[in-house]
Amino acid sequence: MAAHVNEVVLPGDILQELSDSEQYPKLRLGPGLRIDVDNVVVCKCGILRFREPSVFWVDTHQKRYVPVKGENILGIVISKAGDVFKVDIGSSEMATLSYLAFEGATKRNRPNVQIGDLIYGKLLVANKDMEPEIVCIDSTGRSSGLGVISGGFMFKCSLGLVRKIVSPDCQLMKLLGKHMPYETAVGLNGRIWIKAKTLSHTIAISNAVCCAEYMSKKQTEVMVKQIVSSQWT
Amino acid sequence: MTSQRADCGNLELRSQSCEQNLLSRPDGSATYCQGDTSVIVAVYGPAEVKQSKEFLDKATLEVIFKPKVGIPGCSEKFQERLIRNTCETIVLTALHPRSSINIIIQVMHNAGSLLSCCVNSTCMALLDAGLPMSCLVAAVTCSLSCDGDIILDPTSQQEKEAKAILTFVFESRDNEIITSNTHGIYSIKQYYSCVEACRKYGFVSCQSPLGTTNTVEQ
């Protein structure tokens, strides 16, 4: 494993080991790294991460979303334009959503989508030169949880926090679920939707999620305990 | 000598401090203090762009400079332009075409060396926003007194008494100058000695953890 993994890197740093093509013949570079002439150069500040066999990326703190193909996102319908909806996903451009990209939708049978609705979708096209496009079905035509979301409560947070929550190491959502049942949809564009049985549960869960950004495993456990005990008294 | 500073010598910088992510609404923010000079910078972007300002191959970079009191005038517009040109050389705008990056600089207090403080603060805010950059920058201001002495990071009193004020911005990769801004009269020899005096500090403050020293970034 290369040096500097799990260390802070800054823009302009040259990663000499990665530039050596013999050590990593199938080098894969993720966000925050780029190739400049023959060197691997860091272009974002953050912590360098590594995954077997040869995947490298930089974990950064960021608030603004930049669309990435295949990511699940939460968006708000802004307008209807002919056969597409314009959806705000928090990036520099509105995403488009075809009315045929819903489960069971046909030209006759249009989905019931209104302006202001919350959409849980998947990015089909995400390219810096093109408008992002989202869909609410997978390749087999099933919705698999995607689509219009009704009720509940949506709030925004940093991109680092949503990535932390969806990572398998994070127990926060499971711990909370043991004590109060709720539904959730996490969009990787920094939006989280929650639907719990009561208002106080919704508030408690959203507060717990917002507070968990810089907490360790132990700290989140303690926090969940505190929240649960305050709920029943 | 009256212009001698109490806190440190003439060839040293005043104490510096920085705080990032202190504003909740912008995508990136930072405040930077050099002695009593302090500015706060907010960065928005990549965000939507007006059609008239859109570039098909790169992001539009805009800098808004807000003085402590009053409305921005000619000199503020000049500073905006200077900072924008500096940022355009380090931000990889080609990675976010048809979008805009807005940088808003608010002066909190001007006690000399304002331009270098603005540049340093902008760099920290860009870092916080997570925008792709080719390298970091560090700016150092120095002034030449009437008897030809170099004073680094001058206070406003020292700036008033100075014969010339020179500001240099260095990038972190090769430690080369990317911006040079001067006021007043000086000889070519004096210019080069100022560059070398400033470079010494621009280099230290721009070193990454992968190198040996790291003062500003922590």
Side-chain angles (χ1 to χ4, degrees):
Chain A
M1 200 160 71
H4 311 311
V5 169
N6 293 332
E7 281 177 28
V8 174
V9 288
L10 292 173
D13 289 348
I14 295 169
L15 300 172
Q16 213 67 54
E17 289 97 353
L18 307 195
S19 315
D20 181 13
S21 57
E22 279 169 26
Q23 206 175 343
Y24 298 103
K26 282 186 178 174
L27 185 65
R28 284 290 197 95
L29 298 180
L33 299 173
R34 68 197 180 95
I35 290 184
D36 189 22
V37 195
D38 281 332
N39 293 318
V40 176
V41 184
V42 180
C43 64
K44 280 179 186 178
C45 127
I47 299 166
L48 186 68
R49 301 285 190 200
F50 167 74
R51 200 172 67 197
E52 291 292 341
S54 52
V55 185
F56 289 89
W57 73 98
V58 180
D59 250 351
T60 49
H61 168 87
Q62 217 170 315
K63 286 188 200 162
R64 174 72 64 164
Y65 182 64
V66 178
V68 177
K69 192 181 170 183
E71 282 189 344
N72 284 352
I73 46 93
L74 278 167
I76 298 163
V77 180
I78 297 296
S79 67
K80 293 181 185 179
D83 53 356
V84 292
F85 303 112
K86 290 276 177 197
V87 183
D88 167 37
I89 58 168
S91 67
S92 63
E93 245 182 317
M94 298 280 175
T96 58
L97 170 64
S98 166
Y99 74 88
L100 291 170
F102 289 88
E103 190 181 54
T106 56
K107 283 210 160 182
R108 286 252 179 100
N109 181 22
R110 285 191 171 224
N112 184 22
V113 179
Q114 304 301 324
I115 289 171
D117 276 359
L118 193 63
I119 299 276
Y120 191 46
K122 198 184 253 309
L123 274 161
L124 186 71
V125 175
N127 185 315
K128 69 179 164 68
D129 299 307
M130 284 166 74
E131 235 180 5
E133 185 183 346
I134 56 175
V135 288
C136 293
I137 44 172
D138 59 13
S139 53
T140 57
R142 302 244 163 236
S143 75
S144 57
L146 305 174
V148 179
I149 289 175
S150 55
F153 173 65
M154 188 205 74
F155 59 96
K156 291 177 187 174
C157 57
S158 80
L159 301 187
L161 179 57
V162 286
R163 267 186 254 127
K164 183 179 174 176
I165 281 170
V166 296
S167 83
D169 312 332
C170 186
Q171 294 293 313
L172 174 70
M173 298 305 238
K174 280 182 194 159
L175 284 174
L176 285 169
K178 277 183 191 162
H179 303 286
M180 31 193 157
Y182 66 95
E183 272 186 274
T184 184
V186 180
L188 283 168
N189 55 342
R191 288 172 182 178
I192 299 172
W193 171 84
I194 279 165
K195 189 179 186 180
K197 277 195 173 149
T198 64
L199 259 181
S200 66
H201 280 188
T202 311
I203 295 168
I205 292 164
S206 63
N207 281 344
V209 170
C210 287
C211 293
E213 183 157 16
Y214 302 112
M215 281 187 183
S216 65
K217 250 183 193 172
K218 269 265 169 63
Q219 284 170 317
T220 42
E221 281 169 25
V222 173
M223 178 188 63
V224 170
K225 262 182 204 161
Q226 279 175 351
I227 284 172
V228 170
S229 63
S230 68
Q231 283 290 310
W232 309 132
T233 48
Chain B
M1 207 169 136
T2 48
S3 62
Q4 182 77 36
R5 282 200 299 261
D7 54 342
C8 59
N10 279 349
L11 279 176
E12 274 173 52
L13 305 182
R14 292 173 289 178
S15 64
Q16 307 186 4
S17 65
C18 174
E19 191 189 339
Q20 283 180 312
N21 198 18
L22 69 161
L23 304 174
S24 62
R25 307 264 308 167
D27 299 314
S29 55
T31 173
Y32 202 92
C33 304
Q34 287 178 215
D36 291 331
T37 307
S38 87
V39 295
I40 186 163
V41 175
V43 173
Y44 295 85
E48 232 170 316
V49 64
K50 265 194 215 158
Q51 206 125 56
S52 57
K53 290 177 181 169
E54 187 179 85
F55 291 110
L56 285 176
D57 56 342
K58 60 175 187 176
T60 312
L61 223 142
E62 269 186 296
V63 175
I64 296 163
F65 184 92
K66 293 192 181 245
K68 191 177 172 189
V69 284
I71 49 163
C74 249
S75 65
E76 279 80 14
K77 287 280 166 213
F78 181 70
Q79 289 223 4
E80 275 178 14
R81 212 187 170 93
L82 209 70
I83 295 164
R84 197 190 73 203
N85 287 347
T86 308
C87 290
E88 266 176 356
T89 54
I90 58 160
V91 178
L92 300 167
T93 48
L95 295 181
H96 297 290
R98 292 172 297 106
S99 63
S100 79
I101 296 165
N102 291 310
I103 299 166
I104 294 142
I105 302 168
Q106 172 69 57
V107 179
M108 307 290 276
H109 187 68
N110 182 6
S113 313
L114 182 65
L115 180 60
S116 60
C117 192
C118 288
V119 172
N120 291 333
S121 183
T122 308
C123 179
M124 298 314 278
L126 286 170
L127 215 57
D128 184 45
L131 288 166
M133 293 195 280
S134 59
C135 54
L136 300 178
V137 287
V140 184
T141 301
C142 73
S143 68
L144 273 172
S145 66
C146 294
D147 22 320
D149 291 337
I150 297 171
I151 303 167
L152 282 181
D153 202 15
T155 60
S156 35
Q157 181 62 31
Q158 285 167 328
E159 279 185 345
K160 258 181 219 155
E161 292 164 0
K163 198 169 65 168
I165 300 162
L166 304 93
T167 302
F168 304 102
V169 182
F170 302 94
E171 46 92 23
S172 65
R173 243 190 195 176
D174 308 309
N175 201 27
E176 293 295 335
I177 298 175
I178 55 172
T179 304
S180 156
N181 179 47
T182 61
H183 282 277
I185 306 159
Y186 50 86
S187 68
I188 293 176
K189 209 178 154 194
Q190 280 172 327
Y191 178 82
Y192 283 115
S193 54
C194 284
V195 170
E196 285 320 310
C198 291
R199 193 197 294 272
K200 202 178 132 209
Y201 282 95
F203 183 65
V204 174
S205 54
C206 237
Q207 277 290 310
S208 77
L210 295 188
T212 46
T213 48
N214 181 22
T215 50
V216 171
E217 263 43 48
Q218 283 178 346

mmCIF file of all heavy atoms in Angstrom, chain A residues 77 79-87 95-100 102 110 131 133-134:
data_model
loop_
_atom_site.group_PDB
_atom_site.id
_atom_site.type_symbol
_atom_site.label_atom_id
_atom_site.label_comp_id
_atom_site.label_asym_id
_atom_site.label_seq_id
_atom_site.Cartn_x
_atom_site.Cartn_y
_atom_site.Cartn_z
ATOM 1 N N VAL A 77 -39.251 18.642 -7.984
ATOM 2 C CA VAL A 77 -39.741 18.984 -9.320
ATOM 3 C C VAL A 77 -39.984 20.488 -9.380
ATOM 4 O O VAL A 77 -40.702 21.045 -8.547
ATOM 5 C CB VAL A 77 -41.029 18.215 -9.637
ATOM 6 C CG1 VAL A 77 -41.533 18.583 -11.017
ATOM 7 C CG2 VAL A 77 -40.801 16.725 -9.547
ATOM 8 N N SER A 79 -40.420 22.266 -12.691
ATOM 9 C CA SER A 79 -41.349 22.618 -13.769
ATOM 10 C C SER A 79 -41.616 21.418 -14.657
ATOM 11 O O SER A 79 -40.864 20.449 -14.647
ATOM 12 C CB SER A 79 -40.784 23.773 -14.604
ATOM 13 O OG SER A 79 -39.640 23.333 -15.291
ATOM 14 N N LYS A 80 -42.716 21.526 -15.410
ATOM 15 C CA LYS A 80 -43.028 20.503 -16.409
ATOM 16 C C LYS A 80 -42.811 21.143 -17.764
ATOM 17 O O LYS A 80 -43.330 22.218 -18.029
ATOM 18 C CB LYS A 80 -44.497 20.086 -16.300
ATOM 19 C CG LYS A 80 -44.865 19.349 -15.032
ATOM 20 C CD LYS A 80 -46.337 19.001 -15.102
ATOM 21 C CE LYS A 80 -46.809 18.360 -13.823
ATOM 22 N NZ LYS A 80 -48.240 18.032 -13.875
ATOM 23 N N ALA A 81 -42.005 20.508 -18.601
ATOM 24 C CA ALA A 81 -41.757 21.067 -19.928
ATOM 25 C C ALA A 81 -41.978 19.973 -20.953
ATOM 26 O O ALA A 81 -41.104 19.161 -21.199
ATOM 27 C CB ALA A 81 -40.337 21.614 -20.006
ATOM 28 N N GLY A 82 -43.177 19.924 -21.529
ATOM 29 C CA GLY A 82 -43.477 18.912 -22.539
ATOM 30 C C GLY A 82 -43.454 17.524 -21.945
ATOM 31 O O GLY A 82 -44.199 17.232 -21.015
ATOM 32 N N ASP A 83 -42.538 16.692 -22.413
ATOM 33 C CA ASP A 83 -42.512 15.320 -21.924
ATOM 34 C C ASP A 83 -41.439 15.094 -20.867
ATOM 35 O O ASP A 83 -41.132 13.963 -20.534
ATOM 36 C CB ASP A 83 -42.349 14.339 -23.083
ATOM 37 C CG ASP A 83 -41.155 14.689 -23.952
ATOM 38 O OD1 ASP A 83 -40.528 15.723 -23.668
ATOM 39 O OD2 ASP A 83 -40.861 13.942 -24.894
ATOM 40 N N VAL A 84 -40.826 16.157 -20.364
ATOM 41 C CA VAL A 84 -39.849 15.978 -19.273
ATOM 42 C C VAL A 84 -40.189 16.904 -18.096
ATOM 43 O O VAL A 84 -40.827 17.946 -18.264
ATOM 44 C CB VAL A 84 -38.394 16.270 -19.725
ATOM 45 C CG1 VAL A 84 -37.898 15.236 -20.695
ATOM 46 C CG2 VAL A 84 -38.267 17.666 -20.291
ATOM 47 N N PHE A 85 -39.759 16.478 -16.929
ATOM 48 C CA PHE A 85 -39.831 17.330 -15.748
ATOM 49 C C PHE A 85 -38.434 17.882 -15.494
ATOM 50 O O PHE A 85 -37.440 17.201 -15.736
ATOM 51 C CB PHE A 85 -40.265 16.514 -14.521
ATOM 52 C CG PHE A 85 -41.563 15.802 -14.683
ATOM 53 C CD1 PHE A 85 -41.602 14.417 -14.754
ATOM 54 C CD2 PHE A 85 -42.745 16.510 -14.754
ATOM 55 C CE1 PHE A 85 -42.803 13.745 -14.904
ATOM 56 C CE2 PHE A 85 -43.949 15.849 -14.905
ATOM 57 C CZ PHE A 85 -43.989 14.469 -14.980
ATOM 58 N N LYS A 86 -38.395 19.124 -14.994
ATOM 59 C CA LYS A 86 -37.107 19.681 -14.561
ATOM 60 C C LYS A 86 -37.018 19.483 -13.048
ATOM 61 O O LYS A 86 -37.927 19.870 -12.313
ATOM 62 C CB LYS A 86 -37.040 21.180 -14.896
ATOM 63 C CG LYS A 86 -36.945 21.442 -16.372
ATOM 64 C CD LYS A 86 -35.519 21.347 -16.844
ATOM 65 C CE LYS A 86 -35.450 21.549 -18.351
ATOM 66 N NZ LYS A 86 -34.202 21.085 -18.908
ATOM 67 N N VAL A 87 -35.915 18.885 -12.612
ATOM 68 C CA VAL A 87 -35.783 18.541 -11.193
ATOM 69 C C VAL A 87 -34.536 19.215 -10.625
ATOM 70 O O VAL A 87 -33.451 19.112 -11.201
ATOM 71 C CB VAL A 87 -35.684 17.005 -11.012
ATOM 72 C CG1 VAL A 87 -35.613 16.644 -9.545
ATOM 73 C CG2 VAL A 87 -36.863 16.317 -11.661
ATOM 74 N N ALA A 95 -31.771 18.849 -13.410
ATOM 75 C CA ALA A 95 -31.754 17.544 -14.053
ATOM 76 C C ALA A 95 -33.081 17.354 -14.782
ATOM 77 O O ALA A 95 -34.092 17.917 -14.384
ATOM 78 C CB ALA A 95 -31.563 16.448 -13.028
ATOM 79 N N THR A 96 -33.061 16.550 -15.858
ATOM 80 C CA THR A 96 -34.312 16.235 -16.540
ATOM 81 C C THR A 96 -34.785 14.857 -16.126
ATOM 82 O O THR A 96 -33.984 13.986 -15.792
ATOM 83 C CB THR A 96 -34.134 16.264 -18.071
ATOM 84 O OG1 THR A 96 -33.114 15.328 -18.417
ATOM 85 C CG2 THR A 96 -33.761 17.629 -18.568
ATOM 86 N N LEU A 97 -36.103 14.691 -16.139
ATOM 87 C CA LEU A 97 -36.715 13.406 -15.770
ATOM 88 C C LEU A 97 -37.853 13.168 -16.749
ATOM 89 O O LEU A 97 -38.824 13.931 -16.767
ATOM 90 C CB LEU A 97 -37.226 13.472 -14.318
ATOM 91 C CG LEU A 97 -38.092 12.336 -13.817
ATOM 92 C CD1 LEU A 97 -37.313 11.029 -13.803
ATOM 93 C CD2 LEU A 97 -38.582 12.632 -12.417
ATOM 94 N N SER A 98 -37.732 12.143 -17.581
ATOM 95 C CA SER A 98 -38.767 11.837 -18.569
ATOM 96 C C SER A 98 -39.985 11.250 -17.861
ATOM 97 O O SER A 98 -39.847 10.520 -16.890
ATOM 98 C CB SER A 98 -38.223 10.848 -19.591
ATOM 99 O OG SER A 98 -39.293 10.315 -20.337
ATOM 100 N N TYR A 99 -41.179 11.556 -18.352
ATOM 101 C CA TYR A 99 -42.369 11.000 -17.692
ATOM 102 C C TYR A 99 -42.516 9.510 -17.966
ATOM 103 O O TYR A 99 -43.305 8.833 -17.337
ATOM 104 C CB TYR A 99 -43.634 11.787 -18.086
ATOM 105 C CG TYR A 99 -44.144 11.549 -19.489
ATOM 106 C CD1 TYR A 99 -45.040 10.508 -19.745
ATOM 107 C CD2 TYR A 99 -43.748 12.355 -20.541
ATOM 108 C CE1 TYR A 99 -45.516 10.283 -21.016
ATOM 109 C CE2 TYR A 99 -44.207 12.134 -21.812
ATOM 110 C CZ TYR A 99 -45.096 11.094 -22.048
ATOM 111 O OH TYR A 99 -45.561 10.870 -23.331
ATOM 112 N N LEU A 100 -41.740 8.993 -18.924
ATOM 113 C CA LEU A 100 -41.774 7.552 -19.201
ATOM 114 C C LEU A 100 -40.835 6.781 -18.272
ATOM 115 O O LEU A 100 -40.844 5.555 -18.265
ATOM 116 C CB LEU A 100 -41.383 7.290 -20.651
ATOM 117 C CG LEU A 100 -42.407 7.754 -21.685
ATOM 118 C CD1 LEU A 100 -41.808 7.658 -23.067
ATOM 119 C CD2 LEU A 100 -43.680 6.943 -21.581
ATOM 120 N N PHE A 102 -40.886 6.139 -15.221
ATOM 121 C CA PHE A 102 -41.494 5.671 -13.979
ATOM 122 C C PHE A 102 -42.013 4.253 -14.187
ATOM 123 O O PHE A 102 -42.289 3.860 -15.323
ATOM 124 C CB PHE A 102 -42.665 6.578 -13.574
ATOM 125 C CG PHE A 102 -42.233 7.923 -13.093
ATOM 126 C CD1 PHE A 102 -42.041 8.964 -13.990
ATOM 127 C CD2 PHE A 102 -42.006 8.147 -11.747
ATOM 128 C CE1 PHE A 102 -41.631 10.210 -13.558
ATOM 129 C CE2 PHE A 102 -41.606 9.391 -11.313
ATOM 130 C CZ PHE A 102 -41.417 10.424 -12.200
ATOM 131 N N ARG A 110 -49.881 8.401 -17.805
ATOM 132 C CA ARG A 110 -48.837 9.301 -17.304
ATOM 133 C C ARG A 110 -48.744 9.207 -15.785
ATOM 134 O O ARG A 110 -49.747 9.065 -15.118
ATOM 135 C CB ARG A 110 -49.148 10.742 -17.699
ATOM 136 C CG ARG A 110 -48.881 11.015 -19.146
ATOM 137 C CD ARG A 110 -48.945 12.501 -19.389
ATOM 138 N NE ARG A 110 -48.475 12.783 -20.741
ATOM 139 C CZ ARG A 110 -47.643 13.772 -21.019
ATOM 140 N NH1 ARG A 110 -47.188 14.550 -20.057
ATOM 141 N NH2 ARG A 110 -47.264 13.995 -22.252
ATOM 142 N N GLU A 131 -26.544 17.956 -19.682
ATOM 143 C CA GLU A 131 -27.549 18.090 -18.637
ATOM 144 C C GLU A 131 -27.676 16.763 -17.898
ATOM 145 O O GLU A 131 -27.749 15.716 -18.538
ATOM 146 C CB GLU A 131 -28.891 18.395 -19.313
ATOM 147 C CG GLU A 131 -29.551 19.626 -18.809
ATOM 148 C CD GLU A 131 -30.878 19.871 -19.508
ATOM 149 O OE1 GLU A 131 -31.314 19.041 -20.312
ATOM 150 O OE2 GLU A 131 -31.465 20.914 -19.225
ATOM 151 N N GLU A 133 -29.465 13.637 -16.207
ATOM 152 C CA GLU A 133 -30.785 13.035 -16.399
ATOM 153 C C GLU A 133 -31.007 11.986 -15.323
ATOM 154 O O GLU A 133 -30.125 11.172 -15.042
ATOM 155 C CB GLU A 133 -30.880 12.390 -17.780
ATOM 156 C CG GLU A 133 -32.276 11.873 -18.061
ATOM 157 C CD GLU A 133 -32.407 11.154 -19.390
ATOM 158 O OE1 GLU A 133 -31.499 11.273 -20.232
ATOM 159 O OE2 GLU A 133 -33.411 10.454 -19.561
ATOM 160 N N ILE A 134 -32.192 12.008 -14.714
ATOM 161 C CA ILE A 134 -32.488 11.005 -13.693
ATOM 162 C C ILE A 134 -33.646 10.124 -14.146
ATOM 163 O O ILE A 134 -34.457 10.505 -14.983
ATOM 164 C CB ILE A 134 -32.794 11.635 -12.313
ATOM 165 C CG1 ILE A 134 -33.934 12.640 -12.397
ATOM 166 C CG2 ILE A 134 -31.571 12.277 -11.725
ATOM 167 C CD1 ILE A 134 -34.336 13.192 -11.046
#
